[in-house]
Amino acid sequence: MATQYEISGTTAKGIAGSVERGVAEGALAPGVALPPVRRLADELGVSPGTVATAYKELRQRGIVVTRGRGGTVVAPAPAVASRRPPKVPAGLRDLAGGHPDPALLPALLPPSRLSPGARSHRSAPRLARLEEVVRDWVGADGVPAEHVTFAHGALDLVGRVLSVELRPGDAVAMEDPGYHHLLDLVAALGLRAVPVAVDDAGIRPDDLREALRAGVRAVVFSPRAQNPYGGCFSADRRDALAGVLRAAPEVLVVENDHASEVSGAPLRTVTGAGLRRWVHVRTVSKFLGTDLRWAAAACDPVTLARHDGRLLLTSGWVSHLLQETVHGLMTDADTRALVARARETYALRRTALAGELGARGIASHAVSGMNLWVPVRDESAVVNGLRSHGWWVAAGARFRLASGPGVRITAAGLAPADAARLASDFAAVLGESEATYGG
């Protein structure tokens, strides 16, 4: 739609400044279309090139976005904070958080070797022995491990990679439903999320192909334990996705293997399939401790250089004390045994709940990971109904872009004996609300 705000200026800088003032003052709201280049040039008595330069500057700063035939519009207001889930009401069993069972996490003890004195680690930001552990860790699953780097958690790493590779207004293909913190991160960076549907085998190739045709500059997905849907790449799905991605060599591929060791499924990575720009991300928060804000990545050399260059200019390096802690846990035999037990336990709990729901005619998606995605007609009715039975589950709205409604249930701490009671209560809630399940 045409705007009533009168853009002024005779130079590219002046025109850009006029548009920015209009946005700041609220006269140009998110989604409002700016005049076409030639029309505005005629109105201002300047060359079309001057207006085009102004619009380019505005795009680079994230103030406007270009939507093909839809023209240039004011960008959506970026998220300034993640959509936090509501506080768990007192007295309810929390199945909404997506957290691991604390009983299956190792004790976190500081390493005996502390970094002496005050000195910079910029010249050697990564512990060589931890690098070797990471190379063995990801390499065992078929991920090329020549180039590795570290960050302060998976979101930190993904956010840094996207910020150095893309510009505000660029489009990113995102899983739908997908991890809400990633969806919010993309918005906060001034990027545009393009939804790509998922199923039990992961992100869908045909939908990804359409997103690539629409001009996305990056794609972010999980190869297993997809959150919240639980999908896991099959070999056929991996091969199909690799074929789609090879046809778009300039697109950055971000493979987020966030639950690796406790996903309960093998990794079928696309990173070894001849891609040019890629990064495989892993964190340890799901099996070593939620307070260990550390992530590792294997990637192509260009991505490594760009990520590490930005890291050195900001935080500089990941704490060597934290790296020592991670190294100690990852090389400890007792911790490895505990992680193996956690993996088996989470799989048992997830499949037990899925089986109990299925026995009552309630379909769910839970191929891997700690969560189950249960499609429902009315999210609020189910969440509030289960609340009356003492359960607290996550409404699916914050995970969705264009996909249908559902609820996410975290089964990590739910013993099989409790799964039957939850499933019975779920069935009762569906009956009480007269909802047609899956509608």
Side-chain angles (χ1 to χ4, degrees), residues 21 72 148 168 201 227 257 304 306 346 374 376 390 414 417 423 426 434:
R21 284 193 300 275
T72 299
V148 299
N227 189 0
D257 192 21
L304 176 77
R306 292 179 178 177
Y346 292 148
V374 186
V376 297
L414 189 71
F426 204 122
E434 298 183 353

Side-chain angles (χ1 to χ4, degrees), residues 136-138 140-141 224-225 257-267 280 282-288 330 335-347 369-370:
D136 291 342
W137 183 28
V138 301
D141 287 325
R224 51 183 173 177
D257 192 21
H258 66 97
S260 57
E261 294 303 294
V262 289
S263 63
L267 175 68
H280 176 89
R282 288 191 183 182
T283 184
V284 297
S285 59
K286 296 299 184 186
F287 57 92
L288 294 184
M330 293 187 72
T335 299
R336 290 200 300 269
L338 180 61
V339 171
R341 181 158 66 89
R343 178 170 56 248
E344 296 170 359
T345 301
Y346 292 148
M370 300 179 179

Side-chain angles (χ1 to χ4, degrees), residues 42-124:
D42 289 342
E43 293 174 356
L44 299 178
V46 300
S47 72
T50 299
V51 176
T53 299
Y55 281 10
K56 179 180 179 180
E57 179 182 341
L58 291 165
R59 282 196 303 273
Q60 290 175 338
R61 296 171 60 194
I63 296 170
V64 303
V65 295
T66 299
R67 293 179 174 169
R69 294 182 179 179
T72 299
V73 302
V74 177
V80 296
S82 182
R83 293 167 288 183
R84 298 288 183 183
K87 185 177 180 180
V88 181
L92 298 187
R93 180 78 176 274
D94 182 12
L95 303 178
H99 303 305
D101 185 344
L104 295 172
L105 296 175
L108 297 184
L109 299 175
S112 58
R113 296 186 302 275
L114 303 181
S115 299
R119 70 178 191 274
S120 171
H121 290 296
R122 292 180 186 274
S123 61

Side-chain angles (χ1 to χ4, degrees), residues 344-357 366-367 369 372 411 419:
E344 296 170 359
T345 301
Y346 292 148
L348 174 64
R349 292 172 178 176
R350 183 186 71 247
T351 56
L353 179 56
E356 293 289 353
L357 290 169
V367 175
L372 293 86

